[in-house]
């Protein structure tokens, strides 16, 4: 499936796309309308109409919001927007303060090192998120953070590794976000400190670094998730949801 065919256009998001249609290393493909990655769904009145569109067109049933509580301040109640959808606020990063997805006072040489730090310091959060995904109802599940490029990419990476998608394909999906969110960052670039500018642009090797860390440190994604407290059967449930084993495209 081409990149353009995976991108989902809505009137409130910039960085929404389906993780379906990616080839696995054993020759199968990820299923469409199972996992959708996105940026902030912006809990305002317009959100309801865009979500209705997603419910109708993409069979959306579940939303997992990876943002910290502070990022939800000033937005209308999620329960009044997500009518008929299972909504879960499950922050991925709780060990450090984030301002709209960007940490302050940290001097990272690359985002890959930050991603590794996140997964190693967020194992309880990852267990809760993965268990929620494994037990989610049939239909599409959307997960998001603020820009849909860091925390969302980490969860995308985990799901695509479960499906046995190549690290090259995972990294290529990761960098699609740059073009999608450039317009959102542009008005604020002058306000960011020098050590924050690195967070406005993701790189191919950042995701390669994360995948290699998981494989080199744990052997495979299943072992990493077991180290988080996830049961192997939950990993298998997600793989069955996500991978089309009936036919090759």
């Amino acid at each position: 499936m081409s990149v353009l065919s995976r991108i989902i256009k809505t009137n409130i998001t910039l960085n929404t796309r389906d993780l379906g249609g990616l080839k696995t290393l054993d020759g199968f493909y990820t299923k469409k309308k199972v996992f959708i990655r996105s940026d902030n769904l912006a809990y305002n009145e317009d959100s309801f109409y865009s979500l209705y569109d997603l419910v109708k067109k993409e069979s959306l049933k579940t939303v997992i919001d990876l943002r910290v509580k502070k990022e939800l301040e000033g937005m209308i109640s999620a329960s009044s927007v997500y009518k008929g959808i299972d909504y879960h606020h499950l922050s991925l990063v709780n060990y450090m303060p984030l301002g709209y997805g960007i940490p302050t006072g940290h001097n990272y040489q690359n985002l890959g090192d930050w991603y590794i730090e996140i997964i190693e310091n967020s194992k309880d959060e990852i267990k809760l998120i993965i268990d929620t995904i494994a037990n989610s109802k049939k239909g599409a599940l959307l997960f998001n953070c603020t820009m849909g490029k860091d925390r969302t990419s980490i969860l995308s990476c985990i799901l695509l590794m479960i499906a046995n998608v190549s690290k090259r394909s995972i990294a290529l999906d990761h960098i699609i976000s740059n073009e999608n969110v450039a317009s959102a960052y542009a008005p604020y670039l002058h306000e960011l400190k020098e050590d924050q500018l690195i967070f406005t642009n993701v790189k191919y090797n950042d995701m390669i670094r994360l995948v290699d860390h998981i494989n080199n440190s744990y052997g495979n994604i299943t072992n990493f998730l077991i180290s988080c407290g996830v049961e192997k059967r939950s990993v298998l449930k997600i793989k069955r949801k996500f991978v089309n084993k009936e036919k090759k495209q």
Side-chain angles (χ1 to χ4, degrees):
M1 182 187 286
S2 69
V3 169
L4 287 178
S5 65
R6 292 198 297 112
I7 292 175
I8 299 170
K9 297 290 186 181
T10 79
N11 66 350
I12 57 165
T13 65
L14 298 171
N15 197 17
T16 305
R17 57 188 178 274
D18 196 322
L19 290 183
L22 295 174
K23 192 173 184 179
T24 69
L25 289 170
D26 42 359
F28 296 96
Y29 286 83
T30 54
K31 296 177 186 177
K32 294 177 279 188
K33 297 185 179 182
V34 175
F35 296 129
I36 298 170
R37 57 175 294 169
S38 184
D39 55 325
N40 176 21
L41 294 176
Y43 310 135
N44 55 43
E45 295 299 332
D46 290 337
S47 300
F48 178 78
Y49 300 103
S50 280
L51 284 168
Y52 178 79
D53 243 15
L54 288 171
V55 170
K56 187 176 180 181
K57 295 178 182 177
E58 309 298 333
S59 302
L60 183 64
K61 298 294 184 184
T62 306
V63 169
I64 294 179
D65 192 327
L66 302 173
R67 295 176 295 167
V68 298
K69 187 176 180 180
K70 183 178 180 181
E71 292 173 286
L72 307 185
E73 292 176 0
M75 299 183 182
I76 67 172
S77 170
S79 61
S80 66
V81 174
Y82 291 103
K83 296 175 181 176
I85 298 173
D86 286 347
Y87 171 80
H88 305 271
H89 175 221
L90 303 174
S91 174
L92 174 60
V93 180
N94 291 313
Y95 72 94
M96 68 186 302
L98 294 177
Y100 299 101
I102 297 179
T104 56
H106 296 269
N107 187 21
Y108 296 101
Q109 297 303 307
N110 60 76
L111 290 180
D113 288 345
W114 184 42
Y115 299 163
I116 292 168
E117 180 186 295
I118 287 174
I119 67 165
E120 292 296 346
N121 286 279
S122 304
K123 289 190 172 184
D124 290 342
E125 289 84 352
I126 289 171
K127 170 181 164 44
L128 183 55
I129 291 165
I130 293 300
D131 286 346
T132 301
I133 292 172
N135 295 309
S136 61
K137 64 174 67 170
K138 186 177 181 181
L141 181 149
L142 181 147
F143 54 97
N144 72 280
C145 56
T146 295
M147 289 294 184
K149 66 176 187 61
D150 297 310
R151 289 163 289 180
T152 295
S153 271
I154 290 170
L155 183 51
S156 292
C157 174
I158 290 172
L159 293 172
L160 292 172
M161 288 183 76
I162 289 173
N164 201 26
V165 171
S166 72
K167 67 180 179 182
R168 178 179 182 276
S169 293
I170 294 172
L172 288 173
D173 177 73
H174 176 56
I175 60 175
I176 292 170
S177 295
N178 283 332
E179 184 174 351
N180 292 347
V181 304
S183 61
Y185 274 123
Y188 306 103
L189 289 177
H190 68 284
E191 298 178 8
L192 296 177
K193 297 177 182 177
E194 187 175 348
D195 63 348
Q196 293 177 310
L197 290 174
I198 190 174
F199 298 97
T200 64
N201 189 277
V202 298
K203 299 202 167 39
Y204 178 93
N205 283 335
D206 295 334
M207 196 51 59
I208 296 295
R209 188 181 295 266
L210 177 61
V211 174
D212 284 346
H213 169 79
I214 291 171
N215 286 332
N216 293 337
S217 299
Y218 297 92
N220 55 54
I221 189 63
T222 299
N223 288 341
F224 166 70
L225 291 172
I226 289 172
S227 80
C228 297
V230 177
E231 294 185 5
K232 188 174 182 179
R233 63 182 178 180
S234 293
V235 180
L236 294 174
K237 281 175 72 174
I238 290 173
K239 189 167 187 176
R240 285 194 293 269
K241 283 175 183 274
F242 196 20
V243 178
N244 187 346
K245 285 288 189 179
E246 296 178 0
K247 62 179 181 179
K248 299 186 181 183
Q249 296 183 354

